[in-house]
Amino acid sequence: MSERTAIVTGGGSGIGAAVGRRLAADGTRVALLDLDGEAAETAAAEIEKEGGTAIGLAVDVTDRAAIDAAVADTRTRLGRPVILVTSAGAAPIHPFLTITAEDWQRTLAVNLTGTFDCCQAVLPDMVEEGWGRIVTISSSSVHSGAPAMAGYVSAKSGVVGLTKVLAREFAGKGITVNTVPPGFIDSPMLRATVAQGLFALEDEIAETPVGRVGRPEDVAATCAFLVSEDASYITGQIIGVNGGRNI
Ligand code: NAP
């Protein structure tokens, strides 16, 4: 991997933090954007301790002005961003008949509109460079459904559609756009779902063909390939990382 610059949203935790570590280990300069700015800065400091180049920025992906400012800051401090991995996400649990208009709008704002805004904010740099890579992080629930997660599954389904449109629209400009729908990856989000009693970890492991919970590094390795030169003929694809749970 050449010395390019990447932006990773949700980079302070779980899958996003693992993507940041992996891309940095591969020689990419990374800007980690997260609602939790302190977590993003800590993750960036850990990368720097390992010899990588990283910055952490507090950004709410529902705030377009904050995204634009973070992209400009990244360009100034690390160079033009030409890789984007959108891992920021929130998966609130609401039985369908209790979902309020605010719940619905907020879930779409974080997961879908946030992804749209990040793509629109970073794509001009990729177009100017004549090279770019976007990996959106969707969800295996797009294929399986998930009770009490109507907003989340609808938003992530929108992310899959957005990915395909961008793949078609920017294919001629050296830019690929793919989505990774993770399934059953051990992260704070998964642990929070377990803590709410939605399912038991051991039961789910028993139902997972490869016989273990996924690691954030499993998703990071897939993203690292998708943003590499070797993946230049792969665009508009859905690359599941789920231990065989969705086939
Ligand atoms: P995670 O550890 O909770 O990471 C998500 C990160 O996104 C957190 O740091 C969170 O910050 C941040 N975030 C939330 N709302 C944000 C906002 N408005 N602006 C900026 N950052 C925001 O969970 P994860 O499992 O790594 O999730 C990463 C992605 O994978 C998500 O898009 C998730 O939907 C997707 N996914 C995960 C699984 C799984 O099995 N783990 C399965 C399917 C899909 P706070 O902690 O401060 O809220």
Side-chain angles (χ1 to χ4, degrees), residues 223-239:
C223 292
F225 171 64
L226 289 172
V227 306
S228 73
E229 275 318 326
D230 284 345
S232 62
Y233 199 57
I234 302 172
T235 195
Q237 302 303 304
I238 303 169
I239 314 287

Side-chain angles (χ1 to χ4, degrees), residues 10 13-15 34-36 59-62 87-89 106 110 137-139 152 156 182-185 187-190:
S13 177
I15 292 168
D34 204 286
L35 191 57
D36 185 342
V59 176
D60 182 341
V61 297
T62 67
S87 190
R106 173 74 192 164
V110 175
I137 303 297
S138 47
S139 169
Y152 178 77
K156 291 294 192 178
F184 194 46
I185 306 295
S187 71
M189 182 185 283
L190 182 89

Side-chain angles (χ1 to χ4, degrees), residues 8 25 45 53 65 68 72 103-104 150 153 160 163 177-178 190 208 210-211 216 224 238:
V8 182
T53 303
D68 288 339
D103 295 334
W104 177 260
V153 177
V160 173
T163 302
V177 190
N178 293 286
L190 182 89
T208 302
V210 304
I238 303 169

Side-chain angles (χ1 to χ4, degrees), residues 156-183:
K156 291 294 192 178
S157 298
V159 168
V160 173
L162 175 68
T163 302
K164 292 182 179 182
V165 170
L166 294 180
R168 292 260 188 197
E169 203 165 328
F170 291 94
K173 304 207 178 294
I175 299 166
T176 69
V177 190
N178 293 286
T179 190
V180 173

Side-chain angles (χ1 to χ4, degrees), residues 183-184 204-214 218 242-245 247:
F184 194 46
E204 293 298 318
I205 288 172
E207 284 175 21
T208 302
V210 304
R212 68 170 173 86
V213 64
D218 294 319
N242 56 52
R245 291 163 63 91
I247 291 178

